[in-house]
Amino acid sequence: EEVGFSWLVAGGVEEDNRDCDLAYEGKTCDNIWNVRLEEFKDFVRKENADEHNDAFSMPNSCREWIFRQRMDYRRKLRGEPSDLTDQKEDILNQLGIDWYLDEEHTWLECFRNLQKFHIKHGHMDVPNDDCGTSLQNKKLIEWISEQRCEYCRKGLGEYSTMTEEKERKLNEIGFQWKVVDLAKNHDSKWSKYFDKLIKVENSSRKKKKLAKWCKSQRKQYRRLVKQGKSQKLNRYQVLAMQKIGFKWIEQGKEATLSNSSETIPRKWSKRLKEFEQYNENIKNAMPSSTKLLKWIASQRKHYRKLLKRKVSKHLSWYQVDILNEYRFPWILWKEEENAP
């Protein structure tokens, strides 16, 4: 991207190099953004307002620019580094941009391609051969990988484009999410102990080495909750552990046990209801309510205390169980790390 390479191929049209030319002229990135904005405004004025976001009808330069804005918007939603400032977003919103139009169209196109591949070959393991893989198959491989990552994000309560409808469509054609397989691929040693953990869970046997490994996983998890990063534990591994019922605190050390008769503070219940409403809207970037934002941050803070000290005055394990049912995002991932 720094040299102006285009990741978007549309209609076999070669990408316009004017961004590079502007850069060579010494203009800043913001100036280039403003030039593209003016081109987009011109296009909006000429075209019908309901069609100006159509990636196939707009000029090549506008199409690529809009594509980049949507990518930056998606990064921003996740809290990742993004060039899309609030001011830029407001400007584009005033022009009536649909941030999801092209994304939904692309998803359906890839989904249909996966269906065709499944019907033709009887499976969904698209071959990944650098020499012999077609461009369409390479795009499909990337899309499949993205769906699994989005599924993982959703399972951990993060912002995700994996809606219930998309998940249902993929499940209907027998799509394999492969959470455990992807978790094992990260580290062979981790895979070995994970398999042992499942056997021990089934046979109720304990081993010293396994107990030591479990202790290290809990330590890495505490680090994830506190710092948002860990080189030894990624998203797939966290989700795989949770799917087998692994407890992030050693059993028997909880200061307060889950108790359905426990009294929940009215204020906490009110914020929980707000969180539930926010969580139902997949397109929400961040809660609009400042109080809800502070509440979410405070739950993470109290959860860190629970993991470390096994007790917190403001959060019980019963409340943690309730939040887990809503897939509360305990970890604020930092994307520069190895987590997928």
Side-chain angles (χ1 to χ4, degrees), residues 247 249-258 306 310-311 317:
K247 300 295 183 182
I249 183 171
E250 190 174 347
Q251 292 183 2
K253 289 190 175 182
E254 293 91 341
T256 54
L257 299 176
S258 297
L306 270 177
K310 318 299 183 294
V311 64
W317 289 107

Side-chain angles (χ1 to χ4, degrees), residues 127-143:
N128 188 6
D129 182 359
D130 292 336
C131 298
T133 305
S134 66
L135 182 62
Q136 183 178 358
N137 278 2
K138 284 183 179 179
K139 183 180 179 181
L140 194 54
I141 290 168
E142 292 175 1
W143 182 80

Side-chain angles (χ1 to χ4, degrees), residues 1 13 24 108 110 224 266 270 273 296 306 318 332:
E1 291 180 353
V13 181
Y24 282 125
L108 287 171
C110 290
L224 272 175
R266 184 179 298 178
K270 181 181 178 181
K273 189 173 183 179
I296 291 172
L306 270 177
Y318 176 54
L332 201 59

Side-chain angles (χ1 to χ4, degrees), residues 53-71:
N53 283 321
D54 189 344
F56 298 99
S57 64
M58 68 175 60
N60 193 51
S61 58
C62 286
R63 180 169 61 249
E64 172 64 12
W65 183 76
I66 287 294
F67 173 78
R68 289 178 181 174
Q69 303 319 299
R70 285 179 173 135
M71 291 297 291

Side-chain angles (χ1 to χ4, degrees), residues 6 22 33 35 55-56 59 71 79-80 85-86 88 101 106-109 172 182 217 230 272 275 313 320 333 339:
S6 171
L22 288 167
W33 195 91
V35 170
F56 298 99
M71 291 297 291
E80 300 174 17
T85 63
D86 291 341
K88 290 178 179 178
L101 181 66
T106 302
W107 194 92
L108 287 171
E109 181 184 1
E172 283 178 353
L182 290 166
Q217 298 307 295
S230 170
L272 177 66
F275 176 76
K313 293 180 180 179
V320 170
W333 294 88

Side-chain angles (χ1 to χ4, degrees), residues 68-81:
R68 289 178 181 174
Q69 303 319 299
R70 285 179 173 135
M71 291 297 291
D72 277 332
Y73 179 74
R74 188 169 171 179
R75 293 188 187 104
K76 186 178 179 181
L77 289 179
R78 288 182 177 145
E80 300 174 17

Side-chain angles (χ1 to χ4, degrees), residues 278-296:
Y278 151 73
N279 213 28
E280 287 175 353
N281 189 350
I282 196 76
K283 293 183 180 181
N284 273 349
M286 295 179 68
S288 57
S289 167
T290 305
K291 290 182 179 180
L292 181 57
L293 272 172
K294 289 181 178 179
W295 182 80
I296 291 172

